[in-house]
Amino acid sequence: MIARFNSRVLVRTLALGGMAMALSACSLFSSSKEIKPAPLETITPSLQARVAWEARVDSVKFPLSITAVNDRFVVGGSDGVISALSAKDGTTLWRAEIGKGLSAGVGSDGRFAAAVTRENELVVTEGDKILWRKALTTPVVTAPFVAGERVFVLTLDRAVLAFDAADGRRLWELRRPGEPLTLQQAGVIGAYQNTLLVGQGARLAGIDPNRGLLMWEATVSNPRGTNEVERLADLVAPMGRDKDVFCARAFQSAVACINADRGNSIWSRNVGGTQGVGTDATLVVGGDASDRLTAWATRTGDVVWTADQFQNRKLSAPLVTDKSVIVGDSEGYVHFLSRDKGQTIQRLSTDSSGIAAAPVQLGDTVLIATRGGRLFALRQD
């Protein structure tokens, strides 16, 4: 049985005569001229927001996912140290030294935590105790998903692996034929009731977590293009959720919401963009390739508002809260937008290294991580 759970870069591998070629987002979108970010607008703050506490990890040079579970945030740094921090005051509850840099992480169910090292080892801990290590044959850039005393891993070639969290036994492996080009950016993996949800190309798949069998799949995008690069449309993290509705972005292609009970698409909108989306019962928010933000109605897909004040600021994926929409940028600013119109109602500065991951909320605390390894716990009053 898989636990009921609230769910959570750009490179693909192209087979050439037995070799694998990687394409990065930077290589696909690089330009000889650096595009300047939009200047910060002058605002009159109408929301009170403050830093409740700060903490540190090593620099973040990998696709970090922050897990919010129970009363804590579980995070990792480039040095291979993962830790659990109290959401209340930032106290370190436990700290585990994996001993090697990370390529993906961190996933946790509150008891077990999992990450993948740069040497492609899956490492699982129980608190500060390392339980086991397992060498993987294919690179991983998506944080492992931990639920139901199992660890689920999505590899770069879209294979899904399941391990027993306690002893590392491989329980099953699901490999499916697909396009030769795959995306090296954190993908989508999560759960709804007793169904494992995994991004498989431009589709969201529902998988039986006990046997690794495909139960259903729903299309997020129908990619079109004259070549494999133009048809690149893997689902990218984070995936948003409201009850039985999960919303995701297909890379540079579309945003859609899926009913996980029925395994079918509720709506889909063609829109570019490379980052995942934020979702609650009312809004789905995501940015396009130029960092123009759009909010859609969660149940209908109707456009609620658009916001273009952050163009080319290299935004993180958004977080939708009950008081605002929160997004970070590459200069380390955290922007708070009004839910009804998308206007900037507050701005806080972290550090100049830039925001490294999508903001994550637990209770009234929102955690922000910078590439320099600083963690800022924000509260909206």
Side-chain angles (χ1 to χ4, degrees), residues 141-158:
V141 295
T142 302
F145 181 71
V146 185
E149 298 189 354
R150 297 179 182 184
V151 178
F152 302 96
V153 176
L154 176 63
T155 64
L156 195 57
D157 61 356
R158 301 193 190 95

Side-chain angles (χ1 to χ4, degrees), residues 77 116 122 151 188 218 368 381:
V116 180
L122 171 62
V151 178
V188 162
I368 303 289
D381 300 322

Side-chain angles (χ1 to χ4, degrees), residues 285-302:
V285 182
D288 66 13
S290 64
D291 292 316
R292 181 190 189 194
L293 293 171
T294 300
W296 297 272
T298 302
R299 299 292 164 164
T300 66
D302 295 336

